[in-house]
Amino acid sequence: MSEKGQGMALHNKILVGLGLGAVLGVIANVMAGSSPEFKDTLGKVNEHVMTLVGDSFLAMIFMIVVPLLFSALVLGISELGDVAKVGRIGVRSLVMTVLFSGIAVIIALTLVNVVQPGKAIAESKRTELQQQYERDGLKKEGFTDEEVNQIFAEREASPEGKSELEEKNAAPKGGTQADPPVAGIVPKNPLLEATRALSGGILPFMFFALIFGLGLAKSDPEVVAPFRQFCEAIFEISQKVIEFAMALAPIGVFALIFKTTSTLGFTIFAILGVYALTVLVGLALHMFVVYAILIRLIAKRNPWDFFRRIKNVMLTAFATSSSNATLPVALKSAEEDLGLPKNISSFVLTVGATANQNGTALFEGITIIFFCQLFGVPLDFQKQVMIMGLSILAGIGTAGVPGGAWPVIGSIVKGLGVPAGAIGMALGIDRILDMSRTVLNVTGDIAIAACVAEWEGQGTVIPEEAME
Ligand code: ASP
């Protein structure tokens, strides 16, 4: 895949971009502390260069949200719908997919609420961070520097924290709410929701795609074959566009992390470190506790032996950050190293590469709540349940490619009121988390295949001597 371009592999370039951006950003931050002129120049560089580069990278990801989500969900759901027709195997895989994605998200929500990575820094630093992104947002709305200062001063002076200038300028936002979705979920006008996918329309739009996928599954296959092909083409193209975006990632990540660290200095590492650790602990728990129990109790195999036998699959997933790219290796290993019957493994693994992504669901749950904590978005129980449902759906609707989770996360957090530019800070360190969650994604597919094979009475374990 594109990972293998000439010269340095893409993931290494991203790491270099990240490292350089972080180091130079911290140096710039320290220098700005002692020289007002430098601080001024740094502000201009950030505003005119880094923002432009970073935002273009983010826009490449955002622009593909609607086609990608629509095609992935419609195809994913319709395949799962077909699966129901295929009978027992399908129903069992489907139940396990939903169940294990659900468990992954419960682990995510428990961890993120206990650890609270978004609150890992002092309140004052958090306010500083929020204000920085708010200022950026206001400037993007067309306010000048003086006006932004005036808005902040007015907000401070007003008892309700409101600014007159802002209210006067509050033009009616695009995406009228004349036709709001029923219960906030069932859209009357899915096209309207698609146009405001980045500002709250993502949930009703996903709901529409889900219903559409069900409709596709239940329709006469011959009649709908061209549409299915059309969706497959859109899905394929969308994955290519994510690849393009990822090719820009080294420079995009450099700009985003430079901007963040040069403004916030070391603080940012404290936040991101705790966040990344929370994700890694969650992934490890799901892998070594939940999957281990699943493999032991249902697939009736020794979990450590199981993991050892599929180590090549795990390594490929880790290196490529892509469930799709790992699929051929997974198919081979399931057959040759685990002795799973081809009919079961090819079916479960192929559907699972897109539809069963426990690592991604877990990651999305943690990341969404992390951002809400960091930016003070209130999270009541209802909202957390909604995020749980969205993360499970997102696990199904995420493309199995590097960074596939971001279009979904970006639109959800933006819809919840987190500034879009803020996701850049987590994107900066995403590569290592992407590598790790992809390992869980593919391991989950193989674990489910092994369980289904056992249920079908076809779970023969290949003796050690016959391997390799
Ligand atoms: N890279 C992941 C995969 O291919 C998707 C994601 O979570 O970004 O499985």
Side-chain angles (χ1 to χ4, degrees), residues 115-118 120 268-280 370:
V115 179
Q116 308 226 337
I268 200 67
F269 293 113
I271 313 172
L272 290 180
V274 182
Y275 155 72
L277 221 71
T278 312
V279 172
L280 292 176
F370 162 70

Side-chain angles (χ1 to χ4, degrees), residues 55-67 197-198 245 406-414 419-421 423:
D55 282 3
S56 308
F57 166 56
L58 291 181
M60 282 287 285
I61 295 181
F62 281 132
M63 70 166 80
I64 206 63
V65 168
V66 169
L198 299 181
W406 281 100
V408 183
I409 295 180
S411 36
I412 295 176
V413 294
K414 229 181 142 242
I423 71 166

Side-chain angles (χ1 to χ4, degrees), residues 167-320:
E167 295 205 333
K168 242 189 274 162
N169 278 275
K173 293 260 183 286
T176 156
Q177 271 302 284
D179 231 356
V182 179
I185 293 183
V186 189
K188 291 184 202 150
N189 182 348
L191 284 184
L192 175 66
E193 305 308 335
T195 60
R196 31 176 241 111
L198 299 181
S199 48
I202 199 73
L203 180 60
F205 185 70
M206 279 170 129
F207 186 86
F208 167 67
L210 193 143
I211 299 293
F212 214 83
L214 279 179
L216 181 63
K218 297 283 167 227
S219 304
D220 178 347
E222 242 177 76
V223 177
V224 296
F227 181 75
R228 186 186 290 274
Q229 252 182 349
F230 175 69
C231 281
E232 275 162 5
I234 294 194
F235 185 57
E236 185 76 22
I237 296 167
S238 305
Q239 292 190 69
K240 268 280 167 274
V241 176
I242 297 188
E243 246 179 55
F244 294 158
M246 282 299 140
L248 292 181
I251 170 102
V253 161
F254 171 86
L256 291 168
I257 205 88
F258 178 88
K259 193 177 151 202
T260 317
T261 47
S262 65
T263 337
L264 291 163
F266 281 114
T267 315
I268 200 67
F269 293 113
I271 313 172
L272 290 180
V274 182
Y275 155 72
L277 221 71
T278 312
V279 172
L280 292 176
V281 169
L283 294 175
L285 276 178
H286 201 64
M287 174 87 113
F288 298 117
V289 178
V290 179
Y291 283 166
I293 294 176
L294 176 77
I295 292 163
R296 163 74 75 206
L297 294 186
I298 304 181
K300 307 242 168 15
R301 289 167 186 255
N302 177 332
W304 313 118
D305 177 60
F306 183 92
F307 294 141
R308 195 175 52 78
R309 285 176 187 245
I310 61 164
K311 64 176 182 306
N312 279 340
V313 184
M314 294 186 176
L315 286 173
T316 312
F318 193 72
T320 60

Side-chain angles (χ1 to χ4, degrees), residues 317 320-326 352-354 356-357 359-361 363-364 398-407 409 430-431 433-435 437-442 445:
T320 60
S321 291
S322 166
S323 301
N324 289 1
T326 310
T354 332
N356 181 51
Q357 298 192 339
T360 297
F363 170 73
E364 289 178 353
T398 294
V401 295
W406 281 100
I409 295 180
D430 185 52
R431 192 58 184 200
L433 302 181
D434 196 1
M435 294 161 94
R437 67 183 180 260
T438 308
V439 173
L440 196 75
N441 288 346
V442 296
D445 299 336

